[in-house]
Amino acid sequence: AIHLISARTKEFVGSLKMNDECQALTFSRSGGQLFTHGDGGEVYVWDVRSRTCTNKFVDDGCIAGSALAVNSNYLATGSSEGVVNVYNLNNINKTNPTPDKVILNLTTQINQLSFNPTGEILAMSSELRDSAVKLVHFPSKTVFSNFPTTKNIFRINSVSFSPAGGYLSLGNNKGAALLYRINQYKDY
């Protein structure tokens, strides 16, 4: 079950029930939709106002879901097999949407997915292997070949972009918070 709490009043609003254990969830940019991903590899699309499931589909090639991220155009799903699927939000309400892009650059469970604030970069990481982090450019959906620049960043367990997207921070299993400047954003 997924319990909804009002951010303003801190009161219980309601519950949503999935068929599997929920492993990841994220709200749409507008807050009107909630996306959830479970152990069975299914993605649920919920209408927050009515608290009803508007669509449910099997994430392509996924055995168990592990991560989700959304920007204004795409939904990214991560799986326990290391597959990241990118779906166009315009097609997400189809019965069996197909991913626009399948990213196979990591070979262990995807633990973190995060879009930068402008939606131009997707960071994906796995905490099961050293230096298992990649950045994907949007809208070209290509993986940056020059990141990470070093191999001694250990196991990444948290990923976050600064509010304007000029910096990327990676937390690792050694207690370090690594900070990277993204040179594409000159005015930050």
Side-chain angles (χ1 to χ4, degrees):
I2 300 148
H3 303 294
L4 299 176
I5 309 295
S6 170
R8 190 176 67 247
T9 64
K10 312 295 188 261
E11 293 178 354
F12 176 76
V13 175
S15 292
L16 309 172
K17 288 192 79 111
M18 290 178 55
N19 292 336
D20 299 308
E21 187 174 320
C22 182
Q23 295 298 324
L25 54 85
T26 189
F27 285 97
S28 65
R29 301 282 277 193
S30 67
Q33 288 182 310
L34 175 69
F35 303 98
T36 61
H37 208 225
D39 276 341
E42 291 180 315
V43 175
Y44 290 71
V45 181
W46 304 91
D47 180 270
V48 175
R49 286 190 189 270
S50 66
R51 293 189 297 276
T52 58
C53 181
T54 59
N55 194 21
K56 177 176 75 167
F57 62 91
V58 175
D59 189 14
D60 192 46
C62 176
I63 295 172
S66 60
L68 284 174
V70 68
N71 70 8
S72 55
N73 296 313
Y74 297 103
L75 173 69
T77 63
S79 71
S80 61
E81 299 78 37
V83 176
V84 174
N85 289 324
V86 178
Y87 295 91
N88 190 313
L89 285 179
N90 293 329
N91 301 326
I92 210 75
N93 287 319
K94 292 182 178 177
T95 305
N96 288 316
T98 56
D100 284 13
K101 178 74 173 180
V102 178
I103 303 167
L104 303 170
N105 289 70
L106 298 177
T107 57
T108 57
Q109 176 174 310
I110 305 299
N111 297 103
Q112 298 286 325
L113 288 174
S114 180
F115 279 102
N116 77 332
T118 62
E120 296 172 303
I121 300 172
L122 171 68
M124 56 187 195
S125 71
S126 173
E127 62 188 14
L128 301 177
R129 182 169 290 152
D130 284 352
S131 302
V133 60
K134 293 291 182 183
L135 299 178
V136 183
H137 175 262
F138 281 82
S140 69
K141 300 181 202 89
T142 56
V143 177
F144 286 90
S145 60
N146 62 347
F147 187 85
T149 56
T150 60
K151 295 295 181 191
N152 60 351
I153 59 176
F154 303 106
R155 295 179 184 214
I156 303 303
N157 53 28
S158 63
V159 174
S160 186
F161 287 95
S162 63
Y167 291 93
L168 168 67
S169 180
L170 304 174
N172 67 22
N173 64 328
K174 302 293 184 184
L178 309 170
L179 186 63
Y180 295 90
R181 176 77 169 97
I182 300 175
N183 292 327
Q184 178 180 351
Y185 302 95
K186 303 282 186 209
D187 295 333
Y188 188 76

